[in-house]
Amino acid sequence: MTTFSIPRTRPRRTRGSVDSIRVKPSFVSTGILLIGAIYCLFPVFWVVMAASKNSSELFSTFTLMPSTHLWDNIVELTQYRGGLYWRWVLNTALYAGIGALASTWISAISGYVLAKFEFPGKKAVFSVLLMGVLVPGVILAIPQYFLFASVGMTNTFWSVLLPQIISPYGIYLARIYAAASVPTDVIEAARTEGAGELRIFNRIALPMMAPGLVTIFLFQFVAVWNNFMLPYIMLGNDALYPVTVGLSGLLNQGATAPAMYTLVITGALLSIIPLVILFLVLQRYWKVDLAAGAVK
Amino acid sequence: MLAPGIVLFLAFMAAPIVYTLFLSLQKKQVKGLGLGSGGRTTAFAGLENYIGSLTNADFGASVGRVLLYGLVLIPLMLGLALLFALLLDSRRTRAAGFSRTAIFLPFAVPAVISSLLWGFLYLPAVSPFYWVFDRLGWDVAGVLDSSTVLFAIANIALWGGVGFNMIVMYTSLKAVPTDIYEAAKLDGCTEVQVAWRIKIPIIAPSIVMTALFSMVATLQVFAEPTTLRPLTNSLSTSWSPLMLVYRDAFTRDDIYSAAATSIIIAVVTFAFSFLFLRVVQKRAFGQED
């Protein structure tokens, strides 16, 4: 249990498909899983249907009946306050994209150093790191706000981006991955050839760690994309909002103006499409053995 | 080369905590009539804010709610995740790929968006469930009423979390060599026995870690109840501990007690996870040492 599974170039399908020919299918276990699948897909199905209705139909027709107003709703959402919604989508993409890229690089280099170098205080750094894994980011959001407020940096792009770059869990995974995938001989060979340490990391170690880094990137990307509390407290200017904070604000207005509901529903649908696609495409990278490091 | 990591750690994790500790030991003091810029200063408060937080009835109530919420959510979520993972791993299951993707999909949906979706599904005017209840002539009370709102929120978290935990457990099931099962089969074990006696003990470390992460997530629930608030009257501004901190810091402008409360939450969460790891580590990881 010292490594976490990495995507295999050849998926281990053989076990299921070869054997399954002679094993009798079980309706009970297939059925239970399908019920679970329906439960998980149902709200998504509902939002697709609901997004196709105009606001009077939303309250008057059976909710699972599709209508024809999806395009009108998208146009209306696009026109809402001069395209503010798309601004939110762009902001989310920037926060999550830049944040996750930076976080992955920092995690990779820190994990690599912790795995491959001996230096005084290494043990202390590692214990602090483990403590960091146990203190979740959301609990830090309010302290981070206080600190940013004291230097007058709240309500800026940076106030949401910077705090989410450091990820103890990412460093932790990167350390495991560097230990498993970068041979020490290779590093030493490069050193004797006179390569600088940073160059060795960027040119040699980083590519070797790449498959594991995709997982770290995805983790961090989803974490930033999902994060609600940090932007919610840091930002006052709605042009800087990510889509989660923006839609939550729209829902708030919907309490007094139900016509807003159509915008909220359409916005919710559009906002999950990119992430769902990202998920389906990169599904094989979601194989993380959380227990991998629990022992060490 | 460790420098960027250390700098970021100090700036965005250590410094905020230290600064919050510093704030939590202070209080506002009004001099004279409290007018003018020099009229309001801060003074050392000692543990006053901490005592204030700990004896605050709202805080106690929010902690109680969150504990109940965790007791409802975590066993159900992990139990279902384990069941799904074992079923996916069973050779007798069909359409496993489809089910796995479908159950994992909600993880791609941010908590705010899933709260929005379920919030509408709970709303009698637009919910298909209420449409069915209506046709059947049943009179079902609103799910967002104060007696059931906790379960309504737990359901949202269950929907978002079961797939992720399932994948974690399934990943570690896949790492087990199949010969072990073959041997058990030859000895006449049924598939259920193999699951109970072999698979579950082997993946115990994964189950422990999912439990830990779920507990930490539960203690800091914020996005779901905050998003649902416009749809119901039964969620107070201090429903969960973090909502209470938010209220104190931003609506009541009392950052000193908010700082003390957030330190308490952080310490309790940390102690909780640390103790939990200590207690189960021996049992779950004992074989490996």
Side-chain angles (χ1 to χ4, degrees), chain A residues 208-245:
Chain A
M208 285 176 161
M209 295 164 68
L213 296 183
V214 175
T215 307
I216 296 175
F217 176 83
L218 282 175
F219 249 111
Q220 199 60 18
F221 189 88
V222 170
V224 180
W225 192 286
N226 284 350
N227 197 342
F228 172 69
M229 193 171 184
L230 184 78
Y232 182 68
I233 61 180
M234 284 285 185
L235 302 174
N237 172 6
D238 59 12
L240 291 173
Y241 282 177
V243 81
T244 47
V245 179

Side-chain angles (χ1 to χ4, degrees), chain B residues 47-213:
Chain B
L47 294 177
E48 224 171 87
N49 293 323
Y50 287 92
I51 294 164
S53 289
L54 289 172
T55 52
N56 180 350
D58 284 350
F59 183 61
S62 71
V63 170
R65 269 189 293 267
V66 160
L67 288 180
L68 179 63
Y69 168 75
L71 278 178
V72 171
L73 171 65
I74 297 174
L76 193 64
M77 179 168 73
L78 296 185
L80 275 178
L82 180 61
L83 174 70
F84 290 157
L86 288 169
L87 292 178
L88 281 181
D89 197 50
S90 161
R91 295 180 199 168
R92 297 179 58 193
T93 301
R94 292 294 167 270
F98 166 76
S99 297
R100 190 184 68 203
T101 306
I103 297 173
F104 189 41
L105 200 66
F107 185 57
V109 180
V112 170
I113 309 291
S114 53
S115 307
L116 282 175
L117 300 186
W118 280 104
F120 282 115
L121 290 174
Y122 294 152
L123 219 57
V126 292
S127 166
F129 301 120
Y130 281 89
W131 188 87
V132 172
F133 298 152
D134 245 20
R135 295 296 129 116
L136 293 171
W138 295 352
D139 187 22
V140 179
V143 200
L144 291 175
D145 286 357
S146 55
S147 57
T148 47
V149 72
L150 186 136
F151 299 97
I153 296 175
N155 176 58
I156 297 174
L158 172 74
W159 184 77
V162 71
F164 176 73
N165 290 300
M166 173 191 81
I167 290 290
V168 171
M169 295 178 193
Y170 181 66
T171 303
S172 51
L173 275 177
K174 278 286 173 206
V176 179
T178 40
D179 345 347
I180 300 184
Y181 307 143
E182 297 301 333
K185 278 263 168 61
L186 288 177
D187 288 342
C189 280
T190 64
E191 213 159 332
V192 176
Q193 281 174 323
V194 172
W196 268 115
R197 306 239 175 109
I198 304 176
K199 292 186 179 180
I200 294 180
I202 285 183
I203 65 164
S206 284
I207 300 175
V208 167
M209 291 312 283
T210 53
L212 179 74
F213 280 94

